[in-house]
Amino acid sequence: MTTQRRTPDAGRRSEATRRAILDAALELVGEVGYARLSIEGIAARAGAGKQTIYRWWPSKGAVLFDALLALSEGRDEELADLPDTGDLEADLKTVLRATVDELNDPRLSEPMRALTVEILLDPKLAADFAERLDGPLRELKLRRLRRAREAGQLAPDVDLDIALDLIWGPLQRRWLHREGPLTAEFADAVVETALNGLRPRT
Amino acid sequence: MTTQRRTPDAGRRSEATRRAILDAALELVGEVGYARLSIEGIAARAGAGKQTIYRWWPSKGAVLFDALLALSEGRDEELADLPDTGDLEADLKTVLRATVDELNDPRLSEPMRALTVEILLDPKLAADFAERLDGPLRELKLRRLRRAREAGQLAPDVDLDIALDLIWGPLQRRWLHREGPLTAEFADAVVETALNGLRPRT
């Protein structure tokens, strides 16, 4: 084997190793949970050296975070605008039903739960997450709600941050706390209840 | 010193030790966070033996859970019925403002955050928590909402579990994720938005 430092082959090999590590982290956290996830385990599963991982990431939380980011980068539609057919209720149901499908997929759900817990414990990871993933997603949601407000489909004085919590919060809570089944019917009911409010409409 | 086994004095001493351990756990978790909380540290702060703690509790999470339970037992009003003046909006604002005050108190807030994170990771602790604390509190909230629905202040077809999430979820989320300041104004705005819904009222 010839030396491959700084050649295109080496770059491809390095990228292949990086992807193998990220895939291994996602697989393992789904199998053993975050508490028992280890750099050693990830290295073994990826066929990579422990030192390689430590050279690129400071902690298992950081590996997992990049793995999730890579996953959502692979799903371009997620970081694109939310659907806008002009019918806010229908569009929100489409979005929440897609989220229900994602959260029912353990390959995505378990790493996300693990990362969420780490974020609650680690303000530095939380800031990184807010900047790189949660912030941009939140901005896309706010943009859709702002357009609906301009179109007269939301009350003119509605606080969009609270609106966002009313629409997305119950699903996130039910998922995070494992409080009940995640179904399309639940997604639809949340959207309708948030839009209409709890009081009788006269 | 005479032997005090099974005498009233011993009972009092044992209860005093128990309280000292629970107080120490609450103090320490507020100071060092859950990750660095240890049975050794609690024992040292409480002036108790490590073995005494292990005899009564299986883990630091279990100590903290009992400490929080003791705290809320000391506050009898919390497990009593929610206020019912006949004005649902005013009553909910009263309750959420009281929660805002509690969550702004680090003596209560830090142990609660630590316990919440443990609950997300530990299904056994979650079941215990649901049975002993969260379930009864949730039932009190549902009872107040059911009375409001019977009085015609909530829509007749409203799903009370979703209603509960819309009312209490945004405050809990903002607190848990440290997403913004917890104020009386925020509590009021959440109650009004959940009751009125996001659409314009005509």
Side-chain angles (χ1 to χ4, degrees):
Chain A
M1 216 191 229
T2 57
T3 174
Q4 294 186 315
R5 281 175 72 90
R6 298 173 183 280
T7 66
D9 270 4
R12 272 198 293 277
R13 235 184 22 184
S14 171
E15 175 58 22
T17 305
R18 186 175 159 277
R19 292 224 69 102
I21 291 166
L22 297 181
D23 287 346
L26 285 178
E27 278 174 29
L28 273 175
V29 79
E31 290 170 23
V32 305
Y34 186 83
R36 290 196 287 150
L37 181 70
S38 68
I39 296 284
E40 286 80 357
I42 297 170
R45 175 70 60 101
K50 245 172 69 174
Q51 288 315 313
T52 306
I53 299 183
Y54 279 121
R55 197 157 59 231
W56 289 337
W57 293 278
S59 66
K60 65 180 180 179
V63 181
L64 202 56
F65 180 61
D66 275 354
L68 277 167
L69 211 59
L71 214 54
S72 71
E73 279 161 5
R75 303 184 174 211
D76 280 345
E77 77 278 13
E78 275 201 53
L79 284 172
D81 272 337
L82 265 57
D84 189 352
T85 65
D87 180 342
L88 178 67
E89 180 172 330
D91 291 345
L92 289 175
K93 286 178 177 175
T94 302
V95 172
L96 259 71
R97 281 166 172 244
T99 306
V100 160
D101 289 342
E102 282 184 10
L103 295 177
N104 280 324
D105 175 357
R107 194 179 133 81
L108 203 60
S109 173
E110 287 311 304
M112 278 181 59
R113 184 193 312 283
L115 183 68
T116 302
V117 170
E118 279 311 291
I119 281 169
L120 296 179
L121 293 172
D122 181 346
K124 200 184 155 313
L125 194 65
D128 204 18
F129 179 74
E131 187 190 323
R132 293 171 67 194
L133 192 55
D134 193 49
L137 280 172
R138 199 171 168 92
E139 191 42 54
L140 292 174
K141 294 171 185 170
L142 287 174
R143 201 186 301 165
R144 179 67 185 87
L145 294 180
R146 213 174 285 124
R147 279 201 305 271
R149 194 171 59 182
E150 282 159 13
Q153 293 170 353
L154 294 181
D157 60 346
V158 80
D159 178 320
L160 293 184
D161 285 301
I162 292 177
L164 200 147
D165 269 1
L166 294 191
I167 296 164
W168 277 272
L171 180 55
Q172 217 223 0
R173 179 183 166 81
R174 183 177 273 215
W175 163 69
L176 187 61
H177 292 259
R178 307 175 204 256
E179 280 180 348
L182 305 179
T183 61
E185 291 68 32
F186 177 70
D188 289 358
V190 167
V191 169
E192 287 166 23
T193 311
L195 288 176
N196 292 330
L198 303 173
R199 291 190 210 277
R201 293 231 152 208
T202 46
Chain B
M1 216 188 229
T2 58
T3 173
Q4 294 185 314
R5 281 173 73 89
R6 296 171 186 283
T7 66
D9 270 5
R12 272 198 294 276
R13 238 184 19 184
S14 171
E15 176 56 22
T17 303
R18 187 175 159 277
R19 293 224 68 102
I21 291 167
L22 297 181
D23 287 346
L26 285 178
E27 277 173 29
L28 273 175
V29 80
E31 289 170 22
V32 306
Y34 187 83
R36 290 197 287 150
L37 181 70
S38 68
I39 297 283
E40 287 78 357
I42 297 170
R45 175 70 61 100
K50 245 173 69 176
Q51 289 316 313
T52 307
I53 299 182
Y54 279 120
R55 198 156 58 231
W56 290 338
W57 294 278
S59 66
K60 65 179 181 179
V63 181
L64 201 56
F65 180 60
D66 275 354
L68 276 167
L69 211 60
L71 214 55
S72 73
E73 279 161 4
R75 305 183 171 210
D76 280 345
E77 76 278 12
E78 275 201 53
L79 283 172
D81 272 337
L82 265 57
D84 189 352
T85 66
D87 180 343
L88 178 67
E89 179 173 330
D91 291 346
L92 290 174
K93 286 178 177 175
T94 302
V95 171
L96 258 71
R97 282 166 172 243
T99 306
V100 160
D101 289 341
E102 283 184 11
L103 295 177
N104 280 324
D105 175 357
R107 194 180 134 80
L108 204 59
S109 173
E110 287 312 304
M112 279 180 59
R113 183 192 314 281
L115 184 68
T116 302
V117 169
E118 279 310 291
I119 281 168
L120 296 178
L121 294 171
D122 180 347
K124 201 185 155 312
L125 194 65
D128 204 19
F129 179 74
E131 187 190 324
R132 293 171 68 194
L133 192 55
D134 193 49
L137 281 172
R138 200 172 168 92
E139 193 41 57
L140 292 174
K141 293 171 184 169
L142 287 173
R143 201 185 302 164
R144 179 68 186 87
L145 294 180
R146 213 173 286 124
R147 278 202 305 271
R149 194 171 59 182
E150 282 159 13
Q153 293 169 353
L154 294 182
D157 60 345
V158 80
D159 178 320
L160 293 185
D161 285 301
I162 292 177
L164 200 148
D165 269 1
L166 294 190
I167 296 165
W168 276 274
L171 180 54
Q172 217 221 1
R173 179 182 166 82
R174 183 177 272 215
W175 163 69
L176 187 61
H177 293 260
R178 307 175 205 255
E179 281 181 346
L182 306 177
T183 61
E185 290 68 33
F186 177 70
D188 289 358
V190 167
V191 169
E192 287 166 24
T193 310
L195 288 176
N196 292 331
L198 303 173
R199 290 191 211 277
R201 292 232 153 208
T202 46

